[in-house]
Amino acid sequence: MSNSSVQSVDRAIAILEILAREGAARVTDLAAELGVHKSTAFRLLAALERGGLVEQGGDRGRYRLGFGVVRLAGAATSQLDLAKEAREVCLRLAETVGETVNVAVPRDGCAVNVSQVRGPAAISGHNWVGQRTPAHATSSGKVLLAFGALPLPAALDRYTPRTITSPERLGLEQVRERGWASTEEELEVGLNAVAAPIRGGDGSVVAAVSASGPSYRLTRQRLPEVGKLLVEGAREISQRIGHYG
C-alpha cells in the first residue's frame, strides 16, 4: 500500500472518529479539522458513504455515521469477550491500587464475578471467580442495582453487622451521581470494596469493575481516590467492548 493510500485510510478513520464524537458535521468543518482541502474531505466522505459508513441527514450539508457502522460494530461485539478485553486494564488497576480487581456481571439477581486479578500485596483476598454475590452487600452489585442492570431484591439479607438491609440507605442515587459505589465490611467483616460501571455498545451498564481489600488497607479515606481510578478503568473497558461515550 502506498503512503498516499495509508494517509487516506488514516483520514477516513479520523472522519469516523469525529462523527462519533460530534454526532454530525459539515464537509468544511471536517476538512478544517483534518487540515485538508474541502475536495479531499468530500472524496473521503463519498467513499465512506458508498460503504454505508456515513450518510447525510435531513440537512444535506451535514454527515453522520451510517448504519454500516452498526453492522460492523455488531459483528465485532459478538466476538468480544468481556473478561479478555478487561484483563489488561485490570492488571494495571491491581498494580496501581495495590488490591485485587474483579469484573462482575449481572446474573439471576446477583453479581457474578467473571474475572479476577490479584493485587501485589501478600494478603490479597480469595478467589471470587464464578461466585454469585448479593447485590446489596457488594460494591459491584450496588453499581448494577444503581444503573438498572439488576432489580432490587424484595428482601435484603444481613451478612455482617454492617450489611445495609434498608433500600433507602443503599445510596443508589449517590452511586449514579458520583459514578462509583463502595462497601465497608458489608459482605465480610474486614473487607472493603469499590466498583464502577462498565457500559456496552448501547450505553447501558453491563458489568462492574471493582477493587477489594482488607479494611485496614483499603480504608474509608482511600475509597474516593480508588473510586476515581476505577471510573477511568471502567471507561477504558467500556470502549474496548464497543461503548463510545
Side-chain angles (χ1 to χ4, degrees), residues 143-156:
V143 164
L144 298 174
L145 288 172
F147 291 95
L150 280 176
L152 187 65
L156 305 183

Side-chain angles (χ1 to χ4, degrees), residues 16-44:
L16 295 175
E17 291 179 340
I18 293 168
L19 294 180
R21 185 183 71 231
E22 301 295 334
R26 298 182 183 278
V27 178
T28 51
D29 296 328
L30 291 167
E33 187 155 350
L34 293 174
V36 300
H37 193 273
K38 181 179 176 180
S39 61
T40 300
F42 185 80
R43 284 197 300 273
L44 291 168

